[in-house]
Amino acid sequence: MIISLRNLLVATVLLAAAAPVFAQTTVNERLPLSSGGRVDLSNIAGSVTVRGWDRNEVQLTGTLGAGQRLEVESSANRVQLKVVYPQNGRSQGAELELRVPRAAQLQASTVSAGVDVAEVNLARLQATTVSGAITATGQANEVELQTVSGAIRSQVRTSRLELSSVSGSVTGSGAGGGDVKANTVSGGINLDLSAVQRLDAETVSGSLGVRSAGLQPGGRISLQTVSASVSLTLPAQTSAQLKVNSFSGDINSDVGKVERPRYGPGSNLDARLGSGDGDISINSHSGDVRVSLGRR
């Protein structure tokens, strides 16, 4: 019994000494930032939440996992925040919430941590992750969101939008009036846009669907897939030259006549919409193509 009590006492002391190692660390950093300044946040795992506010400062709150530490570098025009993980890799992810001022430039990067951006009004928003999902709402002059296998969902009001993923799905709405780019390999793309000046969207095997409120004068739309279906919906008053090509897929369109060669595969469509001010090009190797007018 004496030996058992002694062993229990020793074990209790060791666990008490080790407890701080496994404990989480609370983060609460406030740093001033000039108008239009840049904020960089880097985290590997866990989660990153970003919200905007009307203060000329950056605030980072949340918790760090065991053995993690926060590196901070700041000046009047730039704040850099990086979560450093222990070398043994045995640490849970950091759960962080970042507050950024209006007109700031934000770059957030993670590996498996999700990124959630909302209620912001930024000069530039850039978020990248490997397997974490990215969701973004609010407003920004420029937006660039990239993942490898995570899903992307953007509802940011912006005139310049770029969405990129390898196998994750890409969903975008609200953008327009400028340039929109979206591409995936096997993930699907679904875009619901206001009138665009230039739109480039491309997939390999993921489906591609685009609905737009129109094409600005002299604008251009280019949609490309290899084996996936393509659908484009535009207002009836759209003015553009429409060209559609498919090697083995079917073409269905509310306007124009589908032409097929006398021998061999392939089909194409060449039609004038309105006065033909802009250009719309759709190319698919084996996927079906559908063009709808006046159904938005």
Side-chain angles (χ1 to χ4, degrees), residues 15-239:
L15 287 173
V21 177
F22 296 96
Q24 292 182 325
T25 302
T26 300
V27 174
N28 192 349
E29 292 279 347
R30 285 199 178 206
L31 302 160
L33 184 69
S34 300
S35 177
R38 178 174 171 176
V39 182
D40 299 320
L41 175 61
S42 176
N43 182 31
I44 294 177
S47 67
V48 171
T49 301
V50 181
R51 298 292 183 265
W53 64 358
D54 294 322
R55 300 182 183 180
N56 291 325
E57 62 179 5
V58 174
Q59 181 185 47
L60 182 68
T61 58
T63 57
L64 303 179
Q68 298 170 8
R69 59 186 176 86
L70 181 66
E71 283 189 354
V72 180
E73 294 185 20
S74 67
S75 65
N77 298 310
R78 186 173 184 179
V79 172
Q80 295 174 276
L81 304 162
K82 180 180 180 180
V83 179
V84 180
Y85 283 66
Q87 293 183 351
N88 61 21
R90 297 176 182 177
S91 178
Q92 67 184 49
E95 307 292 332
L96 304 173
E97 180 169 338
L98 179 68
R99 292 276 184 173
V100 293
R102 289 178 178 269
Q105 303 176 59
L106 171 64
Q107 179 174 339
S109 61
T110 74
V111 177
S112 59
V115 179
D116 177 22
V117 181
E119 302 171 11
V120 296
N121 189 346
L122 302 171
R124 179 177 173 82
L125 167 60
Q126 183 177 6
T128 61
T129 181
V130 177
S131 59
I134 300 176
T135 59
T137 63
Q139 183 172 336
N141 295 340
E142 299 179 36
V143 177
E144 182 179 349
L145 309 177
Q146 298 181 341
T147 75
V148 176
S149 60
I152 297 176
R153 181 177 294 274
S154 173
Q155 293 178 301
V156 183
R157 297 185 302 277
T158 180
S159 60
R160 187 178 294 272
L161 176 65
E162 184 171 348
L163 308 174
S164 177
S165 179
V166 176
S167 59
S169 62
V170 171
T171 304
S173 63
D179 295 342
V180 177
K181 295 181 180 179
N183 65 82
T184 73
V185 176
S186 59
I189 296 177
N190 189 358
L191 304 175
D192 192 349
L193 310 170
S194 57
V196 296
Q197 179 64 39
R198 181 170 180 173
L199 167 61
D200 292 284
E202 181 177 354
T203 77
V204 176
S205 59
S207 62
L208 173 56
V210 176
R211 296 169 63 89
S212 176
L215 184 62
Q216 294 193 1
R220 184 176 72 85
I221 293 176
S222 175
L223 308 179
Q224 298 186 56
T225 73
V226 176
S227 59
S229 61
V230 183
S231 65
L232 174 64
T233 302
L234 294 167
Q237 67 272 21
T238 300
S239 177

Side-chain angles (χ1 to χ4, degrees), residues 242-253:
L242 171 65
K243 294 184 177 181
V244 183
N245 291 280
S246 180
F247 179 74
S248 60
D250 294 330
I251 298 175
N252 293 283
S253 175

